[in-house]
Amino acid sequence: MRVGIGILGGGTVGGTLARKLLEDREVIAAKSGIDLELVRVAVRDLSLPRVFPASYATDRPEDVVADPSVDLVVEVMGGLEPALGLVLAALDLGKPVVTANKEMVAAEGPTLFTRAASKGVSLLFEAAVGGGIPLIRPLSESLSGERIRRVLGIVNGTTNFILTAMESEGWSYEAAVAEAQRLGYAEADPTADVSGADAGAKAAILAGLAFGVWVGPDRVFVEGIEGLDAADLVYARQLGYRVKLLAVAEDTGDGVVARVHPAFVPLDHPLSGVRGAANAVFIEGPDIGELLFMGPGAGGGPTATAVLGDVIEAARELLAAAQVAPRIRFGPGTVLDFADVETKWYLRLEVVDAPGVLAQIAGVFGEHRVSIMSVWQEGRGDAATLLLVTHDAPESNHRAATDALRHLDVVRQVAATVRVVTDEP
Ligand code: NAP
Ligand code: HSE
């Protein structure tokens, strides 16, 4: 069933979302049973180049909201106004809203949630915290039965990118800020990132969802990274720490508190290893223990993907009364036989240590078109242990080569075979 989508904002996030909606319409329909049709995209400056066809662009966002062929509104223009007025207008028309605007949600959350509920429509904001990381839904749904004690995280990609580049690459503060802007991580005004205000809004949202108490951005203690001296990043390393801009939301037992500030984090703590624009959030509770969510916290692709997930969810709820297709659907596709899939193997062979042994073993791999990446041998008298790692080759070739090795007189035992999984595709 068709759902018309109007997007307010066609920049880093909105532009990518528009492109994804156009390119992936059939794939989304096959997976979700919902036909998402892009109707209009509101921008400020019609003369700027876009990553979606110019025919979709308008500089009248109120017309996008009011358009009867727009069933669902996505707000990715940012800031408080006119975004808030437009979102409230959409809700009043009974149109679900998806937003990535943490500033607006943190400042006006209770108003927005109440208005959406009174109109019986969704207001979803997965991308407002943690960019592409699924965080809002796990926190507000999956963990709604846990007494969360603390949420601790790196929630601003720009500042993490800046701190990583300064510390590891020796970049200047100014160069790192400029690169974060170029890569689409930074807010329209990067002051919101480096001052800690962006992380502060996210900390307010996290605290509200974790503890069920609306903290609001004005009650969050915020200190940014502008006052940091590059020398202290170096001293931190010497002392066994890395400097991170941390957001902390806690229920102390006496009440709820949220704060954002630079912090020395021990080098062996997982948060200290979070690099570049990545975000990571720990959630701690008495029964769940400790959860870690980590991934790309900023940028058009990750953020638009999180927004699109919300769009599909909101569209599904919109169509629920009309009995859309089942929530999970399976379409035609190819399921591969694992024997045909390319794998890398580690092998430990117990072999005779004599001239020509390695050549025989290499010959077997060659016959089965398996290329060897590395070999390490440890000799023990007339015997030796041989460790090999292969390049990618079909699983069936590896199996056949290993069977053939077992029949070689010089191989006393194929003592171990373990598949090697690397980051390479
Ligand atoms: P952006 O690149 O600056 O895009 C904003 C878009 O909104 C632009 O297309 C702009 O038009 C349009 N716009 C702004 N004011 C408008 C107005 N009054 N009327 C019509 N159009 C208007 O910002 P973004 O990075 O996509 O961020 C959008 C939202 O997503 C923000 O709330 C941000 O906090 C949030 N977010 C961003 C990221 C990220 O990594 N970028 C991640 C998570 C959440 P022009 O293009 O003509 O200027
Ligand atoms: N400017 C934000 C950041 C975008 O750098 O994390 C994601 O909210």
Side-chain angles (χ1 to χ4, degrees), residues 218-363:
D218 299 342
R219 301 294 307 275
V220 181
F221 169 84
V222 173
E223 185 183 304
I225 64 165
E226 311 111 307
L228 275 178
D229 190 322
D232 292 312
L233 303 185
V234 178
Y235 290 134
R237 283 301 294 273
Q238 287 173 9
L239 295 171
Y241 299 92
R242 234 181 220 126
V243 180
K244 295 290 179 191
L245 184 70
L246 281 195
V248 184
E250 280 182 279
D251 182 349
T252 67
D254 294 328
V256 170
V257 64
R259 56 198 162 102
V260 169
H261 52 74
F264 273 34
V265 178
L267 284 174
D268 61 0
H269 190 286
L271 282 184
S272 137
V274 178
R275 318 287 285 156
N279 282 191
V281 175
F282 273 115
I283 298 176
E284 299 166 6
D287 294 315
I288 197 73
E290 199 172 67
L291 294 175
L292 173 62
F293 296 80
M294 184 173 157
T303 309
T305 301
V307 172
L308 185 49
D310 274 353
V311 168
I312 293 168
E313 180 61 23
R316 193 177 271 133
E317 284 170 19
L318 188 68
L319 297 175
Q323 293 289 309
V324 266
R327 192 178 178 85
I328 299 175
R329 287 161 53 99
F330 304 103
T334 308
V335 179
L336 297 177
D337 187 334
F338 182 48
D340 300 327
V341 172
E342 302 246 314
T343 50
K344 286 185 184 60
W345 280 32
Y346 153 91
L347 299 98
R348 177 159 58 86
L349 309 179
E350 301 301 337
V351 301
V352 173
D353 196 2
V357 168
L358 207 52
Q360 285 190 54
I361 290 168

Side-chain angles (χ1 to χ4, degrees), residues 5-68:
I5 310 296
I7 308 180
L8 308 176
T12 303
V13 181
T16 309
L17 176 68
R19 181 179 56 72
K20 280 171 79 74
L21 282 169
L22 294 173
E23 285 176 2
D24 296 343
R25 183 171 177 178
E26 284 179 18
V27 179
I28 294 166
K31 272 173 79 177
S32 67
I34 302 168
D35 179 23
L36 298 178
E37 185 190 353
L38 179 65
V39 179
R40 301 293 269 167
V41 184
V43 296
R44 206 168 13 204
D45 183 348
L46 287 171
S47 70
L48 291 178
R50 304 288 168 186
V51 296
F52 54 90
S55 55
Y56 286 96
T58 167
D59 58 2
R60 296 181 56 82
E62 60 281 7
D63 289 358
V64 175
V65 171
D67 188 329

Side-chain angles (χ1 to χ4, degrees), residues 102 127-128 131 155-159 185-187 193 198 202 279 297-299 303:
K102 78 283 312 209
V155 293
N156 183 268
T158 300
T159 44
Y185 303 150
E187 296 302 303
D193 295 296
D198 176 82
K202 292 167 180 169
N279 282 191
T303 309

Side-chain angles (χ1 to χ4, degrees), residues 71-90:
D71 306 301
L72 189 157
V73 173
V74 178
E75 185 280 305
V76 278
M77 56 204 291
L80 279 183
E81 289 295 351
L84 178 64
L86 292 161
V87 166
L88 291 172

